[in-house]
Amino acid sequence: MNQKELKELIEFLIEKDIAEFELERGDVKVKIKRAGEAVAPAEVRYVSNPVPSPQAPVAAPQAAMPGAAAGPAEPEEKLHLVASPIVGTFYESPSPGSPPFVKVGDQVTAGQVLCIVEAMKLMNEIESDVSGEVVKLMAKNGQPIEYGQPLFAVRSSK
Amino acid sequence: MATPSLLFSHALAPLLVGSMFADAAQIHHFSLVDSTNTVALRAAADGAPEGSVFVAEEQTSGRGRGDHGWHSEALTGIYCSVILRPQMPPGDVQFFSLAAGLAVHHAVHQVTGLQADLKWPNDLLLAAGPTEVTAPAKKFCGILAEMSSEMSRVRHVVVGFGMNVNNQVFPHAIAHRATSLRLATGQRWRRTLLAAAVLHQFEREYQQLLQNTPGSRAELIRRFEAHSTMAHGRRVRIVGTASAGLPANELTGITAGLDERGFLRLRTADGTQPVLAGSIEFLDD
């Protein structure tokens, strides 16, 4: 996961007011805890263009401040991000015109195919590595995808 | 009249001695399947070993990119998929796409003497017939690779080959762009020999890629370009794809070789950009 994706992830967590988050896929481990109101939320944009983003500071507050969260009364939750292991083109469905593998609100099980990322006629079926509810689609059909780019956010049901 | 040489495992295995595909118990022969890739993917998920081969005399739902099918007439073509379990990052597996195309190029040359033209990433084209050398080339072989991976580890890869060998006619809908080795040469070819040659050549490419050095990839790309007349200077339209930086559904430009990752470079009005995937139409035929 690169600087830009980490920044996007943090922005997403801020937008959804998620206090604690863990991602573990292969070599990539990300753990973020944030306090309620420390960071001004930036606009969340998922650009397909691999233009290097300015080296924005990405350090999220490390020490959680218990009870400091202002605003929504939603309990803190853990969201799982499913990321792409390859550079390629994102497809939401098995073939053009067929229904998408999943949509927001769907319950998925670990190992279920969520999408395809294609690089030069190598089709990579991306599976969910947790069971739970798909809460966000983070890529558009036909969009170019970078290595490690988050594709889906899944609210783990365990 | 020669009897068709069926692709039975006991016919193929002796031709594969010394290769990773030689185990007759792991060569699975079908008279009829939906798609050898589908069967191979299912077997791979159930733990079938690397080097397993799935070969069919006929497919009812041969698959290509997206919603493309593969016309799979009984007893005339080669419909063959293999399971690989390479220990490399998932992002490096795309080189197999190029390697598989090159393998078919070399195998067909070895068996028939024909020089097939590679169309990025791995279609294989031939002049339509011995008397039609000036006509646009038509496709006789397609390859589809499918992968299951974790973030940094490949679980398995299935590479499927669909090759028109002894076809004499094609359905009207594809007749203008499909050909076979028989149509191109005027003679029948033994499918067992061709299938074995493809697997031997593919293993050679595979072993080189497993070394996973920048040198072996650069060499692969150089060889691909040497056997692909469209890699440079052809005006093409790329349909149903994204290129890095432009999620357009269609892109027109001049081909400018392959980049170091094997992506096709396309010179467009907006500059040169790598094409990640897509179907290619020639605009200068």
Side-chain angles (χ1 to χ4, degrees):
Chain A
M1 182 173 286
N2 63 28
Q3 194 93 329
K4 171 169 156 277
E5 288 145 9
L6 195 57
K7 180 165 170 272
E8 283 182 359
L9 168 60
I10 290 166
E11 286 171 345
F12 174 69
L13 298 179
I14 291 166
E15 184 197 59
K16 294 290 177 192
D17 202 32
I18 292 157
E20 194 174 341
F21 170 84
E22 270 185 75
L23 167 71
E24 191 172 337
R25 278 193 72 137
D27 294 342
V28 182
K29 283 183 193 167
V30 179
K31 185 171 183 177
I32 297 168
K33 266 190 178 181
R34 69 179 192 92
E37 53 195 338
V39 187
E43 187 194 354
V44 179
R45 281 169 56 222
Y46 296 103
V47 288
S48 58
N49 223 332
V51 173
S53 56
Q55 295 299 301
V58 292
Q62 271 302 322
M65 291 187 280
E74 269 182 43
E76 66 179 46
E77 60 176 352
K78 282 191 179 179
L79 277 192
H80 192 89
L81 288 195
V82 178
S84 177
I86 64 170
V87 175
T89 303
F90 174 86
Y91 302 116
E92 63 180 6
S93 61
S95 60
S98 63
F101 287 103
V102 291
K103 43 189 198 309
V104 169
D106 281 1
Q107 293 291 329
V108 296
T109 54
Q112 184 174 337
V113 175
L114 302 179
C115 66
I116 289 173
V117 177
E118 176 191 7
M120 343 193 322
K121 247 166 106 182
L122 168 68
M123 305 292 174
N124 193 1
E125 291 195 332
I126 311 292
E127 300 167 4
S128 181
D129 38 15
V130 294
S131 298
E133 181 193 348
V134 177
V135 294
K136 192 174 176 75
L137 256 76
M138 302 162 88
K140 284 200 203 72
N141 204 30
Q143 179 187 331
I145 299 296
E146 287 296 311
Y147 170 77
Q149 184 170 336
L151 304 173
F152 293 89
V154 179
R155 184 183 289 123
S156 174
S157 58
K158 56 168 190 221
Chain B
M1 170 75 193
T3 52
S5 49
L6 298 186
L7 298 162
F8 288 132
S9 62
H10 61 75
L12 272 177
L15 302 174
L16 291 168
V17 169
S19 93
M20 64 188 285
F21 304 112
D23 183 357
Q26 298 304 336
I27 300 175
H28 306 276
H29 174 266
F30 302 86
S31 301
L32 180 69
V33 287
D34 47 0
S35 140
T36 55
N37 258 38
T38 302
V39 175
L41 281 169
R42 212 178 297 137
D46 289 343
E50 171 162 88
S52 298
V53 178
F54 299 80
V55 61
E57 303 294 345
E58 183 179 2
Q59 297 184 114
T60 53
S61 316
R63 295 190 285 118
R65 273 191 82 242
D67 56 357
H68 295 187
W70 187 258
H71 172 69
S72 307
E73 186 182 333
L75 306 173
T76 56
I78 293 169
Y79 320 114
C80 178
S81 302
V82 297
I83 294 175
L84 307 171
R85 298 185 181 279
Q87 293 186 13
M88 57 169 61
D92 290 337
V93 174
Q94 68 195 49
F95 290 99
F96 293 180
S97 273
L98 303 180
L102 264 173
V104 172
H105 170 92
H106 290 308
V108 166
H109 183 249
Q110 183 190 328
V111 175
T112 69
L114 290 168
Q115 288 278 2
D117 196 4
L118 281 160
K119 180 184 174 194
W120 185 90
N122 54 22
D123 284 351
L124 286 115
L125 313 179
L126 285 170
T131 58
E132 299 177 62
V133 285
T134 55
K138 298 179 175 184
K139 178 170 169 178
F140 76 98
C141 183
I143 293 158
L144 180 67
E146 298 182 86
M147 169 164 72
S148 168
S149 79
E150 293 163 16
M151 204 57 201
S152 56
R153 190 181 76 88
V154 175
R155 289 196 204 104
H156 56 259
V157 180
V158 165
V159 180
F161 301 86
M163 191 194 297
N164 303 330
V165 181
N166 292 319
N167 311 57
Q168 300 190 79
V169 287
F170 287 97
H172 181 71
I174 59 169
H176 63 289
R177 52 191 166 90
T179 190
S180 70
L181 295 178
R182 181 169 191 175
L183 287 172
T185 60
Q187 69 178 95
R188 291 180 60 90
W189 296 97
R190 294 255 323 261
R191 291 179 304 145
T192 43
L193 291 182
L194 275 162
V198 167
L199 294 178
H200 275 295
Q201 293 288 348
F202 182 62
E203 180 177 6
R204 231 173 51 137
E205 302 288 347
Y206 179 59
Q207 298 298 349
Q208 282 176 34
L209 280 177
L210 280 185
Q211 298 169 14
N212 220 9
T213 62
S216 64
R217 294 181 208 157
E219 172 65 10
L220 176 78
I221 287 164
R222 190 196 63 73
R223 288 189 296 123
F224 185 95
E225 290 183 330
H227 297 297
S228 174
T229 58
M230 61 74 68
H232 288 274
R234 290 292 299 271
R235 221 165 86 75
V236 297
R237 177 163 50 219
I238 319 260
V239 183
T241 183
S243 73
L246 192 69
N249 209 22
E250 202 177 287
L251 200 59
T252 301
I254 310 279
T255 59
L258 273 54
D259 73 10
E260 74 285 355
R261 295 171 298 173
F263 292 128
L264 180 68
R265 288 154 48 89
L266 195 67
R267 200 175 298 126
T268 71
D270 302 321
T272 300
Q273 38 193 316
V275 177
L276 309 182
S279 296
I280 295 174
E281 296 170 5
F282 296 119
L283 298 176
D284 50 8
D285 267 340

